[in-house]
Amino acid sequence: MENAAYVALSRQMTLRRELDIVANNMANADTTGFKVEQLLVGAEIGERARNEAIRPSASFVLDNGVGRDFGQGALKQTGRDLDFGIEGEGAFFVVNDGNGDAYTRDGAFTLDPEGKLVTKAGDAVQGDGGDIILDPARGQVTVGDDGTISQGGLLVGKLSLARFETLSALSKDGDGLYRNRSNTDPIEAAGAKIHQGSLEGSNVNPLIEITNMIEISRAYERVSKMIENVNDLSRRSVERLGRAS
């Protein structure tokens, strides 16, 4: 009976984690470039008691980390010259936040006082030759779908786009950034297109997330009831054994 309660408790812990993830998805439904997340659940086989070899080991529910859907979000027009949306799954803008290269799908850029193209957090957007410097006096900024940047009819740079063959190489790093924590090197994002004056929206489907939240809440209640019943059964068994002795 104790095993049943512990197994149920392990499931209850993962359900609480799932609920947190769903709530975070819903909170970021309008966040530029946000990618929907879900909990990866597995099984962990507990060690069998040494004096009870005939009984099978209990399987506990295991939190295997967070999975992320990098599917394309809808592109929304903004009309800003320095807003860029990527069309193409698995491609990222490259930025430098002072700790090396990081990657993002949030293309809401601006210029710092020196004319450097930066993110909302002030991280330098990277081009093929490093930082991208623009001069407002040269006229309107025009960006082609291949990322080439022109001002006054003159080519001044090109946005660097990176792709990873295995997206699991990326880990979330805050402010819409991802970091490469593996030994995998990024490759050129061939085929990806840049849309100037647009931003990629979140790929969260609020209706699905609300449904998930309801299902998780109901599952949590069922598991709680199961734990309560197991504990009640254990209590009554102890009481009967006490009376019998």
Side-chain angles (χ1 to χ4, degrees):
M1 286 186 288
E2 287 183 352
N3 273 352
Y6 288 139
V7 170
L9 182 60
S10 69
R11 179 54 179 150
Q12 198 173 48
M13 292 171 65
T14 58
L15 285 168
R16 289 187 63 178
R17 176 84 168 115
E18 285 185 74
L19 197 61
D20 289 342
I21 292 172
V22 170
N24 185 62
N25 287 339
M26 293 178 66
N28 285 281
D30 294 322
T31 299
T32 302
F34 180 82
K35 300 304 176 185
V36 67
E37 300 172 341
Q38 64 179 15
L39 186 68
L40 303 178
V41 178
E44 182 178 26
I45 308 300
E47 290 189 13
R48 190 163 45 197
R50 294 182 182 178
N51 61 342
E52 296 187 8
I54 61 173
R55 290 190 178 183
S57 300
S59 296
F60 298 93
V61 186
L62 179 66
D63 178 347
N64 270 336
V66 177
R68 197 165 287 111
D69 178 3
F70 284 98
Q72 179 77 43
L75 293 173
K76 303 175 182 178
Q77 290 189 350
T78 66
R80 287 188 68 248
D81 288 344
L82 298 182
D83 280 349
F84 308 116
I86 301 177
E87 179 186 351
E89 294 184 15
F92 299 87
F93 296 109
V94 183
V95 303
N96 190 305
D97 63 352
N99 296 312
D101 285 345
Y103 307 90
T104 184
R105 295 280 293 198
D106 186 352
F109 302 145
T110 187
L111 296 180
D112 70 3
E114 286 74 40
K116 184 190 300 182
L117 190 65
V118 296
T119 66
K120 289 178 289 189
D123 303 328
V125 180
Q126 298 298 286
D128 288 351
D131 295 348
I132 299 173
I133 307 297
L134 301 175
D135 183 359
R138 291 182 181 175
Q140 185 178 10
V141 176
T142 303
V143 178
D145 59 9
D146 62 348
T148 54
I149 305 173
S150 302
Q151 276 190 295
L154 299 176
L155 181 66
V156 295
K158 184 179 181 181
L159 289 167
S160 181
L161 292 181
R163 187 190 301 275
F164 289 83
E165 292 183 353
T166 304
L167 290 172
S168 59
L170 297 174
S171 62
K172 203 171 181 180
D173 203 40
D175 290 328
L177 298 180
Y178 298 94
R179 192 79 61 177
N180 180 13
R181 305 292 187 187
S182 72
N183 295 324
T184 304
D185 292 325
I187 59 178
E188 184 180 353
K193 294 182 179 180
I194 300 294
H195 291 261
Q196 185 178 16
S198 298
L199 291 174
E200 181 190 15
S202 164
N203 66 352
V204 173
N205 185 325
L207 204 55
I208 291 177
E209 297 308 310
I210 291 174
T211 302
N212 289 339
M213 181 170 286
I214 293 172
E215 291 179 350
I216 293 169
S217 298
R218 288 175 176 172
Y220 191 91
E221 291 175 1
R222 288 195 297 269
V223 174
S224 296
K225 186 63 176 177
M226 174 184 171
I227 294 175
E228 183 181 332
N229 290 339
V230 169
N231 289 338
D232 185 56
L233 183 60
S234 296
R235 179 184 56 78
R236 283 187 289 162
S237 297
V238 171
E239 289 175 352
R240 288 179 180 178
L241 284 173
R243 287 195 298 268
S245 62

